[in-house]
Amino acid sequence: MNKKKITLKAEGLVGGYGGMNILNSIDIEITQGEIVSIIGPNGAGKTTLLKSIFGLIELKKGNIFLGEVEVTNQSPQNMVMSGLSYVPQERNIFPTLTVKENLDMGAYLRENNLKESMESIFSLYPVLNEKRNQAAGELSGGQQQMLAISRGLMSDPQFLLLDEPTAGLSPKLFDETFDSILKIKELGIGILIVEQNAKKSLKISNRGYVLVAGENRLTGTGESLLINKEVANLFLGGQ
Amino acid sequence: MTELFTYYLFPGLILGSIYALGAIGVSLLFGILRFAHFAHGDLMTFGAYVAFSMVTLFNISPYMAIPASIVGGIGISILIDKVCYRPFRQSKTIVLVISSLGVSLMLRSIIQIFWGVDYEVYFSGIQPSIDVAEDFRIKIHHIWIMLGSFSLIFLTHLFLKNTKLGKAMRAMSDDSELALITGIHTERVITATWIIGGSLAAVAGIFLGIDTQLSPSMGWDQLLPLFAAAILGGIGRPYGAIAGAMIIGVAEELSSYPGFLGENAPLLSPAYKTGVAFFIMVVMLIFKPTGLFRGRQF
């Protein structure tokens, strides 16, 4: 626990699909043990940002540093090895594999201490322990989301990138999901969340970034963004 | 009744277990690489002829030639993948399908150049058999083929269920992008898939050669039943492929059983055997394209 906290830093990111740029110039940073929300309208480049940090989309410009080490345009595999984990919004579990096999796969690049990780996940989400031998595709939507996050945790990451973890969940499950994200934060993991549910997400965040058209529009603490007029008008329903 | 067992049901199961060895490969490859591998039958032929060379060169039984044939099958599969499929990993499926059709033609031609165009057999003469019951005889070879197929299928099952690589293979078959995100070495999984598919195809070729005879088109001729079995079981579902293969094998043989109509005319002329597999495939594609075990849609 005394280890120095590492910071993930992205500077001047430019990238997208083919010739089209979706990210025009984005800077963000997150330190271990922090929750950072990325909010913005549809098409602002939130998901693209996560994907390009994780090496799924090639960056044309910009740098990503993990502590002192540059990790720009690394393969997803190397990113997992360097301590990043990405949980996509959809198709984030292996449906025909059992719950336990899904977790095994999350730990694919690890050799040791799987038991410990699995136990801490089962204490976070006891229901997964009960259903460990069931096919993941048979779980309810909420349970699948828990499994997806757990799969991301099994690689023992320093940073977890979550793409809309509450999409399609009932309001009751929102709160459960955000509760568990707070618990994950306590493990010393930095959590970068992209969320539609901006209000709830900012409430539990240390800091937030507002993206518009692939650029940083606003940055601040979760609190300050919550009471910001512009943010309220743009994304929080104008109250 | 015994006639039904001796000449139709049991041979159907033998044929089914040979199909299963090929269909597992077709199904696994489709799940991982997302294309219908049209050269799979010719991999079977290649395996059968490698064994044929061993049999003629060293005067051994074809069963003893299985290891050499598996090595040959793995080698050619990995080589073909590197040269003909790997450059098209990001391309559209149709490109890979056409490429595999080209590979199929090349393999068959190579086999014709090296081994000739004539029919060959591993051994000639009367094949020994044992009497299980009155009028119910089983060829010794059929027992070996069945035991061999079932043990290989069981080994494949153990591999898929219990090893890290096997689980990764099923994971990639479920969702290859998520597999990449999870950190799974996708190219390694692809190689492992070719190793399994290539070995099983080689052995299927030998068994087919033992059961019937060798010819350069022997494997290509099995392509339809192989795909029918894979589709019937649910494409991308190796366990489904086994069930599908057994059903297709038995259905093909039973289609010419004369007992159904109460007179001594076969239900269908044996010449239409392949048509049965085709019929089942078409019916499945129309009414239940995901197959019996909920596989992927074509």
Side-chain angles (χ1 to χ4, degrees), chain B residues 149-163:
Chain B
S149 305
F150 280 9
S151 356
L152 281 175
I153 290 169
F154 186 62
L155 281 178
T156 310
H157 161 75
L158 288 182
F159 172 80
L160 288 173
K161 199 81 197 163
N162 297 319
T163 67

Side-chain angles (χ1 to χ4, degrees), chain B residues 230-291:
Chain B
I231 290 168
L232 179 59
I235 196 93
R237 299 273 173 270
Y239 301 116
I242 299 163
M246 288 299 169
I247 295 172
I248 298 282
V250 170
E252 281 192 355
E253 294 294 335
L254 280 186
S255 67
S256 47
Y257 177 58
F260 290 128
L261 299 175
E263 42 204 274
N264 264 348
L267 194 62
L268 272 175
S269 154
Y272 292 119
K273 252 187 210 175
T274 325
V276 174
F278 189 62
F279 177 73
I280 294 176
M281 185 168 86
V282 169
V283 168
M284 283 309 279
L285 284 176
I286 292 173
F287 295 104
K288 204 162 186 308
T290 52

Side-chain angles (χ1 to χ4, degrees), chain B residues 73-89:
Chain B
I74 291 174
I76 195 95
S77 303
I78 292 181
L79 180 75
I80 288 170
D81 180 57
K82 288 269 175 303
V83 178
C84 306
Y85 304 142
R86 196 172 175 174
F88 305 118
R89 288 270 199 271

Side-chain angles (χ1 to χ4, degrees), chain A residues 77 96 101 104-105 108, chain B residues 164 167 170 174 182 184:
Chain A
Q77 236 162 52
T96 70
E101 284 170 340
D104 285 344
M105 285 300 106
Y108 185 81
Chain B
K164 194 170 170 181
K167 286 182 214 169
R170 283 158 52 219
D174 265 6
T182 305
I184 290 171

Side-chain angles (χ1 to χ4, degrees), chain B residues 9-264:
Chain B
L9 208 53
F10 198 69
L13 290 175
I14 299 299
L15 195 60
S17 51
I18 295 174
Y19 288 161
L21 292 179
I24 291 171
V26 164
S27 202
L28 278 177
L29 284 167
F30 189 91
I32 304 281
L33 292 169
R34 299 281 186 279
F35 79 100
H37 187 226
F38 281 162
H40 212 71
D42 302 282
L43 284 181
M44 287 169 61
T45 315
F46 184 79
Y49 274 92
V50 171
F52 180 69
S53 286
M54 293 291 142
V55 169
T56 47
L57 279 176
F58 303 108
N59 202 17
I60 52 174
S61 102
Y63 298 105
M64 300 300 288
I66 287 177
S69 175
I70 285 182
V71 171
I74 291 174
I76 195 95
S77 303
I78 292 181
L79 180 75
I80 288 170
D81 180 57
K82 288 269 175 303
V83 178
C84 306
Y85 304 142
R86 196 172 175 174
F88 305 118
R89 288 270 199 271
Q90 309 304 327
S91 310
K92 283 193 179 136
T93 303
I94 189 69
V95 177
L96 282 155
V97 172
I98 299 296
S99 181
S100 80
L101 203 59
V103 167
S104 156
L105 291 168
M106 279 193 280
L107 266 177
R108 227 172 312 155
S109 309
I110 288 168
I111 288 163
Q112 286 174 341
I113 291 167
F114 272 94
W115 285 286
V117 295
D118 297 330
Y119 285 97
E120 306 280 359
V121 287
Y122 288 126
F123 26 56
S124 44
I126 296 170
Q127 298 189 11
S129 58
I130 48 169
D131 293 315
V132 180
E134 203 184 338
D135 290 336
F136 182 25
R137 301 186 129 187
I138 296 180
K139 284 186 199 157
I140 305 278
H141 284 308
H142 280 170
I143 296 174
W144 289 124
I145 288 174
M146 203 151 203
L147 281 177
S149 305
F150 280 9
S151 356
L152 281 175
I153 290 169
F154 186 62
L155 281 178
T156 310
H157 161 75
L158 288 182
F159 172 80
L160 288 173
K161 199 81 197 163
N162 297 319
T163 67
K164 194 170 170 181
L165 196 55
K167 286 182 214 169
M169 206 178 265
R170 283 158 52 219
M172 195 172 159
S173 179
D174 265 6
D175 195 323
S176 54
E177 172 150 309
L178 185 61
L180 187 72
I181 289 168
T182 305
I184 290 171
H185 298 102
T186 47
E187 278 299 321
R188 215 177 279 177
V189 171
I190 290 173
T191 306
T193 311
W194 282 111
I195 289 174
I196 293 178
S199 322
L200 296 182
V203 178
I206 297 177
F207 286 171
L208 190 64
I210 291 171
D211 193 33
T212 56
Q213 57 203 355
L214 287 87
S215 78
S217 66
M218 64 188 280
W220 172 256
D221 295 339
Q222 311 308 317
L223 203 61
L224 193 59
L226 288 193
F227 275 91
I231 290 168
L232 179 59
I235 196 93
R237 299 273 173 270
Y239 301 116
I242 299 163
M246 288 299 169
I247 295 172
I248 298 282
V250 170
E252 281 192 355
E253 294 294 335
L254 280 186
S255 67
S256 47
Y257 177 58
F260 290 128
L261 299 175
E263 42 204 274
N264 264 348

